[in-house]
Amino acid sequence: MSKVCIITDSNSGITQSESKELGIVVIPMPFYINEVQHFEDIDMTQEEFYEALMDEKTEVSTSQPSPDTIMQTWRENLEEYDEIVHIPMSSGISSSCATAMMLAQEEEFEGKVFVVDNQRISVTQRRSVQQAKELAERGYSAKEIHDILFRDKFQSSIYIMVNTLKYLRKGGRLTPAVAAIGTVLRIKPVLQIQGEKLDAFAKVRGIKAARKKMLEAIDKDLSSRFAGQKVNIDIAYTCSEEDAAVWVDEVKAKFPEYMEDMHVDKLSLSVSCHIGAGSVAITCTKVTEA
């Protein structure tokens, strides 16, 4: 039986300390603050990041791990393991997945490293990592794990309420005029990921209305595209702990049967660069079965 290593990136929300507990490897995603490179959980904390964002002049952007970083991580782990399943963030959001897939075709990694482009990010990516680890422990090969995760790549929903339009405007998703009008009218965009891309889902006025819209969306998913299937409901956020607790209570009140296995996590900093502080998200993910 092959010994399979599970590798992901920090967009999964899995910290370096958690990675050791889970027995996986997490590659930190780089991001920039005022053109200075940082790595989450390595040289910058969540608190330091949001403190920097409080300055309106702060410029943030994201990048991807260098090819050398990825290959060196693979080489080091192939000294201990026979095969690797690498689960990066969705290819529809970052080019890091395409880079990893290209590197896996190199002769030294061919047949040993399997990159899974299963369109996940944040807590849905975490779920894929956990499921991959469970399958590896049950004796599945890296190729088999890859195929199982890839089969279910579109079987998740993410809804995100964006509290500020600043970063959507900077990213070119909104014109300055629309962003200005939206701010005055207290418009809270709700974005969705049901596949490769981050798309607009709804525009509502006020935080309460946005949260209600997301709960309705998940409720509809449960009764339609996930009807009769076993799923996980999870929560992610970039807001304060107090606001996150309010959101958690709302979700648990709406979906009490999913409370026991619900995971609540902060969004990774490289994701936060694109949506800013004050956001909340809810996800629904089909449980992957062999």
Side-chain angles (χ1 to χ4, degrees), residues 120 152 154-159 193-194 217-233 258 283-287:
R120 303 295 173 86
D152 288 344
F154 292 129
Q155 300 303 309
S156 69
S157 290
I158 300 177
Y159 299 96
I193 304 176
Q194 285 191 350
I218 289 292
D219 199 25
K220 182 178 180 180
D221 281 345
L222 292 174
S223 63
S224 56
R225 62 191 296 245
F226 295 121
Q229 301 184 55
K230 186 178 180 180
V231 300
N232 295 119
I233 289 180
Y258 295 94
T283 73
C284 182
T285 310
K286 176 188 172 184
V287 175

Side-chain angles (χ1 to χ4, degrees), residues 92-222:
I93 302 174
S94 170
S95 58
S96 60
C97 183
T99 298
M101 294 180 74
M102 177 187 69
L103 295 175
Q105 296 175 17
E106 295 289 328
E107 185 176 354
E108 65 176 306
F109 303 121
E110 191 173 4
K112 297 178 182 178
V113 176
F114 295 84
V115 179
V116 186
D117 182 13
N118 72 332
Q119 312 299 341
R120 303 295 173 86
I121 193 169
S122 186
V123 284
T124 62
Q125 186 179 352
R126 173 189 281 266
R127 287 291 182 185
S128 291
V129 173
Q130 291 173 326
Q131 290 162 357
K133 181 64 176 176
E134 290 168 5
L135 290 170
E137 291 174 347
R138 289 165 55 188
Y140 284 79
S141 69
K143 175 68 165 56
E144 290 170 331
I145 296 170
H146 168 279
D147 292 348
I148 291 169
L149 296 183
F150 188 78
R151 178 195 66 200
D152 288 344
K153 69 175 185 174
F154 292 129
Q155 300 303 309
S156 69
S157 290
I158 300 177
Y159 299 96
I160 307 171
M161 181 212 75
V162 179
N163 189 49
T164 174
L165 302 178
K166 172 183 176 181
Y167 300 97
L168 291 177
R169 178 180 64 79
K170 283 189 173 183
R173 292 184 178 273
L174 295 175
T175 65
V178 170
I181 293 172
T183 300
V184 171
L185 296 178
R186 298 189 302 112
I187 296 297
K188 302 297 179 185
V190 176
L191 310 178
Q192 68 171 341
I193 304 176
Q194 285 191 350
E196 298 180 2
K197 298 290 186 180
L198 179 67
D199 296 314
F201 177 72
K203 295 177 183 178
V204 296
R205 293 185 66 177
I207 293 175
K208 288 185 178 180
R211 289 176 171 173
K212 181 181 178 183
K213 179 65 70 174
M214 290 192 291
L215 293 175
E216 291 172 348
I218 289 292
D219 199 25
K220 182 178 180 180
D221 281 345
L222 292 174

